Amino acid sequence: MIDPIRVAVKVAASGLEAQSRRMLIVSENLANASSTGNTPGADPYMRKTVSFQAAMDEAMGAKLVKIDRVDVDRKPFRVEYDPGHPAADVNGNVKLPNVDMLVELADIRETNRSYEANLQVVKQARSMMSMTIDLLRST
Amino acid sequence: MDVTNFFSIASQQNRWLSVRQSVIAQNIAHVNTPGYKALDVEPFEAVLTATGLKMQKTQANHLSPVSGTGSDAQTQEEAEWAVLHSGNSVSLEEQLFKASEVTGQYSRNTGVMKVFHRMLLASTKG
């Protein structure tokens, strides 16, 4: 059987990885907040969403965090009147991405908080390990 | 109480604490997983009194052992602080509080073990 403290570190590490993948998706959304298509009437960038799932690891007997799937948001695009734009359709309307800055920033905050919590777990598991090793130290 | 008995209890509790820490780590890692239910291990007292192997009842028509019914699974769903719309019942504050509690108890245990060890050494060295 694997040492439970090491399992704790591994599970926290899987959480860290999942959260950083989420951060990547959010930054992609933010960076493309105004990426339009380049032919008349073309669809712009679609906002991506990410969801997690619990995956049982048989060897460790614990549930790791895995990225379930990366989907696109089906929310309708914002439409703006700009006849000079290369992506404007016959009526002069341009489709802009369905990215909401506020939602993305809130998402970043939540990612940050979860990442921090996972780091805290790693720190505490490490301190428990070193406490055990310190028992060997001659006093 | 015998000194050696103390060592065995202390190391048993440290083992229990590290299992609990790994369950808490799992809860914290799944703070954003939809439908995840927070878990906790059964109390140390229950683990300590459960001596020997117990038969697990996995189906309703299994015979129950003579002395009481079969034991519960090692981990159980805990009372929830708040459940999100996604069905996730992990509260970060609660879990971090528990994690620091576990670390504190672990540190207390190793501290007491050190003292006992020093005592043993003192009595053997004379």
Side-chain angles (χ1 to χ4, degrees), chain B residues 42-59:
Chain B
E42 52 183 24
F44 181 63
E45 216 176 16
V47 179
L48 197 62
T49 49
T51 43
L53 289 173
K54 271 192 182 172
M55 303 283 263
Q56 194 79 253
K57 256 178 90 171
T58 52
Q59 269 181 13

Side-chain angles (χ1 to χ4, degrees), chain A residues 66-80:
Chain A
K66 286 264 159 61
I67 300 275
D68 184 14
R69 58 182 188 277
V70 179
D71 267 337
V72 286
D73 196 339
R74 303 262 165 230
K75 222 166 58 178
F77 299 118
R78 283 180 292 135
V79 179
E80 218 169 67

Side-chain angles (χ1 to χ4, degrees), chain A residues 124, chain B residues 17 20-21 23-24 27-28 38-41 76 78-79 81 91-105:
Chain A
Q124 279 181 347
Chain B
L17 284 170
R20 185 159 190 227
Q21 184 78 321
V23 171
I24 292 168
N27 289 341
I28 291 179
L39 301 171
D40 203 349
V41 296
Q76 54 203 20
E78 63 175 330
W81 279 25
S91 150
L92 260 192
E93 293 82 4
E94 185 195 6
Q95 297 302 329
L96 286 173
F97 169 73
K98 277 187 186 169
S100 67
E101 200 182 71
V102 167
T103 323
Q105 285 178 2

Side-chain angles (χ1 to χ4, degrees), chain B residues 4-122:
Chain B
T4 46
N5 189 20
F6 165 77
F7 279 120
S8 100
I9 287 183
S11 56
Q12 264 184 63
Q13 185 169 27
N14 272 5
R15 176 144 196 93
W16 177 80
L17 284 170
S18 44
V19 170
R20 185 159 190 227
Q21 184 78 321
S22 76
V23 171
I24 292 168
Q26 184 179 309
N27 289 341
I28 291 179
H30 286 286
V31 70
N32 294 128
T33 307
Y36 181 81
K37 295 267 176 289
L39 301 171
D40 203 349
V41 296
E42 52 183 24
F44 181 63
E45 216 176 16
V47 179
L48 197 62
T49 49
T51 43
L53 289 173
K54 271 192 182 172
M55 303 283 263
Q56 194 79 253
K57 256 178 90 171
T58 52
Q59 269 181 13
N61 48 3
H62 280 172
L63 287 177
S64 31
V66 187
S67 56
T69 48
S71 67
D72 284 325
Q74 193 193 17
T75 51
Q76 54 203 20
E77 272 179 33
E78 63 175 330
E80 296 150 353
W81 279 25
V83 183
L84 294 184
H85 184 62
S86 63
N88 187 304
S89 72
V90 181
S91 150
L92 260 192
E93 293 82 4
E94 185 195 6
Q95 297 302 329
L96 286 173
F97 169 73
K98 277 187 186 169
S100 67
E101 200 182 71
V102 167
T103 323
Q105 285 178 2
Y106 201 93
S107 139
R108 185 196 61 202
N109 264 355
T110 48
V112 177
M113 265 164 117
K114 259 186 202 164
V115 172
F116 267 78
H117 185 238
R118 217 180 305 147
M119 211 172 82
L120 270 185
L121 274 188

Side-chain angles (χ1 to χ4, degrees), chain A residues 7-17 64 117-119 121-122, chain B residues 25-26 29:
Chain A
V7 174
V9 175
K10 289 228 168 87
V11 174
S14 82
L16 287 175
E17 209 214 318
L64 299 182
N118 276 308
L119 272 185
V121 171
V122 176
Chain B
Q26 184 179 309

